[in-house]
Amino acid sequence: MKNKMEQLFAVTAPGLEDVCACELQALGMDAVRIVAGGVEFCGGLREIYQANLWLRSASRILVRMGQIKCRDFPDLYRKGLRLPWGRFIRPEMAVQVRASSQQSRLNHSGRIAATLTEAINRSLGREATPEGPPQLLLARFEDDICQLSVDSSGELLHRRGYRAETAFAPLRETLAAGILMKLGWEGSAPLADPMCGSGTFVIEAALLAGNRAPGMERRFAFMDWPGFRPGLWDALRIEARKAERPVAVSLCGGEREPEALAAACRNATRAGVENLVQLRLQEMEQFVAPPGLGLVVCNPPYGKRIGRDEDLRPLYQSLGELFIKQFPGWQGAFICPDDKLAKAAKLPLTRLATLHNGGISVSLWAANIE
């Protein structure tokens, strides 16, 4: 695999495909193309490592092993035996096959997974699958053709390693970073979040403004592959350290709940950005904008997210009033699944994107505040 160019795929949450494609192009990746569910690109080990190290908006990086056409399980087993499993799986490693099927004769996902697992074990010369953390393999059948992919990431990429604690109904790191980039915020202007919860927007803003690689301090599945090159990985991390830059803008968040704010402060410390952000315990209405013009963004409560039936329109009205009073000339943004609730803010809103937060379809609303 040392010099082999692979077909690679960055999995993204719905609505973040364009952001991820821009990230890949900025990294110099080849053959970048948006498709359903993510972004295709090409590369070898260096590109696999770089994508995991640097992508802020992707969920996983997959290596396409290839496609096989099968209409019965014995054929799936025979063709599965021929695949180069030893490039990605050591004999002592566990495996997990996650299968799906659409419009195919082989439509029992459990049996597809079991058949491929049996083929992998036979190919690797073992009688049973070992225990331990597994290498994830994805098998997707469509029209009797099985697309096989190997996960290079391990834990989902939103797990940067800093957020050991969350506030209620947290925002995924990949979504927060994706929203910042979708709004065009690159770290050269102040950022404020008056409802910061566990601090995700502010912390991701600090990583983005400082050009800090989000995958710097975590492990990845590719580290357990037989062909893992630790020297290349170390060199890429050294390059990433050299690419970091000072943060010269104000990044601040406010939170009314003491426990949530304490979690945000600890998360900022684990992320190594505690000296770059200001996190304050205060009511939303007391929030004061930092000097300059920038972006004010937040993830306010909405009934489906927090399991409440109360009328939240007064809260959104107060949020809109805060934006107008404290942030004239700024760009304002928030996410919300309910159009009527969003419009209660009484701002000149534009729907920039439809995203997903915690399984809920939400709109990203933005306004130029006057």
Side-chain angles (χ1 to χ4, degrees):
M1 187 173 172
K2 182 176 180 180
N3 299 312
K4 181 177 175 62
M5 293 295 285
E6 306 282 352
Q7 290 292 325
L8 308 175
F9 186 70
V11 181
T12 70
L16 294 182
E17 298 91 344
D18 59 336
V19 171
C20 185
C22 289
E23 286 192 273
L24 287 165
Q25 289 167 343
L27 288 171
M29 301 298 182
D30 292 329
V32 176
R33 186 168 76 97
I34 295 174
V35 297
V39 187
E40 293 179 342
F41 63 109
C42 292
L45 283 179
R46 171 180 285 271
E47 288 73 27
I48 293 170
Y49 296 178
Q50 280 184 313
N52 279 287
L53 177 63
W54 278 104
L55 290 184
R56 302 178 193 277
S57 61
S59 302
R60 291 187 189 281
I61 308 302
L62 304 179
V63 180
R64 300 298 202 195
M65 285 191 69
Q67 295 181 338
I68 53 177
K69 187 168 185 176
C70 303
R71 295 185 175 181
D72 58 55
F73 284 101
D75 195 30
L76 177 63
Y77 177 75
R78 285 192 299 270
K79 290 178 177 177
L81 281 175
R82 303 182 196 135
L83 294 170
W85 302 111
R87 291 172 55 213
F88 303 100
I89 305 168
R90 300 178 189 274
E92 69 274 13
M93 283 177 61
V95 296
Q96 176 192 1
V97 180
R98 188 177 298 169
S100 62
S101 180
Q102 291 184 342
Q103 299 177 336
S104 298
R105 295 189 186 187
L106 302 188
N107 56 19
H108 191 293
S109 59
R111 190 173 175 191
I112 292 170
T115 301
L116 286 170
T117 300
E118 185 180 354
I120 292 166
N121 289 339
R122 177 72 179 274
S123 177
L124 296 177
R126 61 195 191 190
E127 295 183 359
T129 304
E131 298 294 327
Q135 168 64 61
L136 176 63
L137 308 168
L138 303 180
R140 183 172 61 84
F141 262 99
E142 189 168 351
D143 296 327
D144 296 327
I145 296 175
C146 182
Q147 171 76 68
L148 289 157
S149 304
V150 180
D151 171 42
S152 71
S153 301
E155 284 196 296
L156 289 169
L157 294 179
H158 78 268
R159 293 172 180 165
R160 318 280 204 221
Y162 68 77
R163 200 171 73 175
E165 305 166 81
T166 62
F168 194 66
L171 188 70
R172 278 193 171 183
E173 294 88 332
T174 45
L175 181 57
I179 286 172
L180 294 179
M181 291 185 285
K182 203 172 261 293
L183 290 166
W185 191 86
E186 299 176 345
S188 59
L191 179 132
D193 180 356
M195 308 173 77
C196 72
S198 55
T200 311
F201 268 133
V202 179
I203 294 171
E204 288 297 316
L207 296 175
L208 182 57
N211 199 37
R212 298 192 182 187
M216 184 69 78
E217 303 299 336
R218 54 160 283 174
R219 280 191 56 81
F220 297 95
F222 63 72
M223 293 176 175
D224 294 319
W225 291 355
F228 174 54
R229 294 171 57 192
L232 173 60
W233 174 244
D234 289 342
L236 291 173
R237 291 179 75 245
I238 291 171
E239 287 179 12
R241 288 290 188 205
K242 291 179 179 177
E244 292 179 3
R245 59 190 177 220
V247 177
V249 296
S250 176
L251 309 171
C252 55
E255 172 56 43
R256 62 177 295 182
E257 299 293 341
E259 290 183 4
L261 185 74
C265 292
R266 289 190 289 267
N267 290 337
T269 299
R270 276 186 289 266
V273 299
E274 70 275 17
N275 295 325
L276 306 178
V277 302
Q278 300 86 45
L279 300 169
R280 301 188 289 265
L281 182 66
Q282 60 186 176
E283 297 289 337
M284 178 190 71
E285 294 82 358
Q286 298 172 341
F287 197 92
V288 177
L293 299 178
L295 171 66
V296 53
V297 61
C298 60
N299 176 30
Y302 35 89
K304 294 178 183 177
R305 180 169 70 98
I306 59 175
R308 296 179 184 172
D309 296 322
E310 66 184 88
D311 185 1
L312 293 172
R313 286 175 297 180
L315 173 65
Y316 279 75
Q317 184 175 343
S318 296
L319 179 64
E321 291 170 354
L322 174 71
F323 278 18
I324 292 169
K325 178 182 177 181
Q326 282 292 332
F327 298 94
W330 285 53
Q331 181 185 22
F334 59 84
I335 59 173
C336 180
D338 187 318
D339 291 9
K340 292 182 179 179
L341 198 55
K343 290 174 182 177
K346 297 181 179 179
L347 295 168
L349 296 170
T350 299
R351 193 196 317 266
L352 291 187
T354 299
L355 306 167
H356 283 75
N357 182 29
I360 300 170
S361 179
V362 298
S363 293
L364 172 60
W365 299 95
N368 293 320
I369 305 167
E370 297 178 355

